[in-house]
Amino acid sequence: MTREEKAEALKVLTEQELPVVMQASDLYKTAIQAVPGDGNPDADIVIIGEAPGKKENELGKPFVGASGKLLNDLLGSIGLKREDIFIANVIKHRPPDNRDPLPAEIAAYSPWLQGQLDIIDPSIVITLGRFSMDFMLGKGFSISEIHGQPKRKNGRIIVPLYHPAAAMYSGNLRPILYADFAKIPKIIELIKKEG
Ligand code: URA
C-alpha cells in the first residue's frame, strides 16, 4: 500500500472500530473523544502507549501532555521526529481518573490496534509501559527485566521500554529510559541491513 492508501485505510478502520468499542466498553461515556493515533501512516517505527490522558482527551492526539513532552525529547535524543513515526495507544478513550485499563477494555480495543499495525506494517514496534508490552509480547514478562531488550516476534522487532510517565514519577528511571532509547538507532541499522 502507498502512504495515501494506508492513511485512507486507517481512517476506514477508525470508522469501523469506533462503534465496536462503544458497544463493548463504557470508556467513551466519560471521554471527550477517541484518540486513535497520529503520525506517518507508512512509518517503519510504531510507538504504542497505554491510553490517552487528560490533555490527549482534550486534543484528540496521543502523547501531547507531560509524558508527550518527555517522549518528544527522547525521540529528539536519537534524531527522530514525531513525523517519522506513528504513535498509538492500546486504549483509545481516556479511562476515568487515568485508572489502569481493565482486561475487558483491553480486549475490546485490541482489534483496533492490531488493525493499525496490520495497515502500517512497521518493522519496529516500541512499547511504552506494561500494557502495550503485554499486547505485543503476551503476558508473562516483567518490564523491569526486559526493558531495552529487543525481541523478534511475527517478523517484527519489539522494543519494550518503560513508560515516560513512570520516568517522571521515579527520577532514577529517567536515565534508564534515555539509555534504552539510545539503543534504537542500532536496531534501525540492523533492520536496514537485513533489508
Ligand atoms: N500516556 C499514554 O500512554 N498515552 C498517551 O497518549 C498519553 C499518555
Side-chain angles (χ1 to χ4, degrees), residues 175-192:
I176 296 176
L177 193 50
Y178 275 91
D180 284 348
F181 254 82
K183 296 174 187 165
I184 294 168
K186 267 212 178 109
I187 300 169
I188 298 173
E189 268 312 300
L190 189 88
I191 295 266
K192 274 194 194 144

Side-chain angles (χ1 to χ4, degrees), residues 79-159:
L80 285 177
K81 292 198 271 312
R82 282 176 78 114
E83 307 88 84
D84 300 328
I85 58 172
F86 191 90
I87 307 181
N89 283 306
V90 177
I91 302 289
K92 318 293 196 198
H93 288 105
R94 182 192 186 205
D97 303 319
N98 292 348
R99 65 156 169 76
D100 283 353
L102 305 171
E105 292 163 352
I106 295 171
Y109 284 82
S110 286
W112 191 344
L113 177 57
Q114 188 54 54
Q116 291 176 309
L117 290 174
D118 292 345
I119 292 165
I120 300 166
D121 196 20
S123 6
I124 301 173
V125 177
I126 298 169
T127 62
L128 302 177
R130 72 190 156 97
F131 292 99
S132 53
M133 175 184 73
D134 286 355
F135 175 85
M136 291 307 297
L137 296 176
K139 282 197 183 277
F141 291 99
S142 157
I143 198 157
S144 56
E145 279 166 21
I146 67 161
H147 68 88
Q149 296 172 23
K151 309 238 174 272
R152 278 184 197 270
K153 183 133 191 221
N154 301 331
R156 298 204 164 104
I157 301 221
I158 319 299
V159 189

Side-chain angles (χ1 to χ4, degrees), residues 12-96:
V12 171
L13 179 71
T14 295
E15 284 158 14
Q16 274 170 5
E17 289 299 326
L18 197 51
V20 176
V21 297
M22 288 167 74
Q23 184 73 37
S25 145
D26 284 343
L27 283 181
Y28 77 95
K29 291 186 181 167
T30 45
I32 298 171
Q33 58 189 320
V35 182
D38 188 40
N40 176 0
D42 199 23
D44 216 27
I45 303 178
V46 168
I47 296 187
I48 308 175
E50 178 181 322
K54 189 168 186 288
K55 199 87 189 165
E56 291 77 19
N57 184 36
E58 284 164 13
L59 299 180
K61 287 195 190 290
F63 284 99
V64 286
S67 353
K69 271 203 186 128
L70 179 52
L71 179 60
N72 290 346
D73 198 59
L74 286 157
L75 288 169
S77 73
I78 55 167
L80 285 177
K81 292 198 271 312
R82 282 176 78 114
E83 307 88 84
D84 300 328
I85 58 172
F86 191 90
I87 307 181
N89 283 306
V90 177
I91 302 289
K92 318 293 196 198
H93 288 105
R94 182 192 186 205

